[in-house]
């Protein structure tokens, strides 16, 4: 009945969703490439900040010998255990 309610009996209007313009193959390729470059840049920055934070964490953890560089997972596990040991020392003191 909604088509009858429209009055002239014309076909119902189609609703457009999102962007209305049709995009060419070249434009789509350019947009995809641009998005990928931006995503890669964000990921590179994220990893840079993560590695900087892990380096800062390594600098405050006691290691033997001093020139040993712990892996990321070793750094996190060692930090967890070190904090637990310090907490236990405080608890027992």
């Amino acid at each position: 009945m909604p088509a009858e309610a429209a009055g002239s009996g014309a076909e119902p209007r189609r609703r457009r969703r999102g962007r209305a313009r049709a995009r060419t193959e070249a434009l789509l390729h350019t947009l995809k490439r641009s998005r990928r470059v931006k995503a890669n840049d964000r990921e590179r920055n994220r990893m840079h900040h993560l590695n900087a934070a892990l380096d800062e964490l390594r600098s405050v953890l006691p290691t033997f010998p001093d020139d040993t560089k712990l892996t990321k997972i070793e750094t996190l596990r060692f930090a967890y255990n070190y904090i637990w040991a310090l907490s236990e020392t405080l608890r027992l003191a």
Side-chain angles (χ1 to χ4, degrees), residues 84-93:
W84 178 83
L86 291 173
S87 299
E88 284 298 301
T89 302
L90 287 174
R91 188 179 66 81
L92 296 174

Side-chain angles (χ1 to χ4, degrees), residues 1-88:
M1 288 216 170
E4 293 175 46
S8 65
E11 293 181 23
R13 292 183 184 178
R14 293 183 186 181
R15 292 184 183 257
R16 291 184 180 178
R17 294 184 183 182
R19 301 190 181 177
R21 283 185 260 156
R23 295 188 174 150
T24 64
E25 287 285 325
L27 182 58
L28 284 175
H29 180 70
T30 303
L31 286 172
K32 286 180 182 178
R33 182 178 206 122
S34 173
R35 288 179 186 150
R36 176 56 24 214
V37 168
K38 289 178 183 177
N40 288 347
D41 191 43
R42 285 192 304 271
E43 178 64 10
R44 193 176 309 108
N45 285 331
R46 187 187 72 81
M47 289 305 300
H48 176 74
H49 288 104
L50 177 63
N51 288 331
L54 285 167
D55 285 338
E56 195 172 332
L57 181 58
R58 282 184 195 103
S59 72
V60 297
L61 294 174
T63 57
F64 302 100
D66 289 333
D67 61 347
T68 302
K69 182 178 177 186
L70 300 172
T71 65
K72 291 175 185 178
I73 192 68
E74 288 171 342
T75 301
L76 293 173
R77 286 179 178 153
F78 186 69
Y80 176 87
N81 290 331
Y82 186 57
I83 292 168
W84 178 83
L86 291 173
S87 299
E88 284 298 301

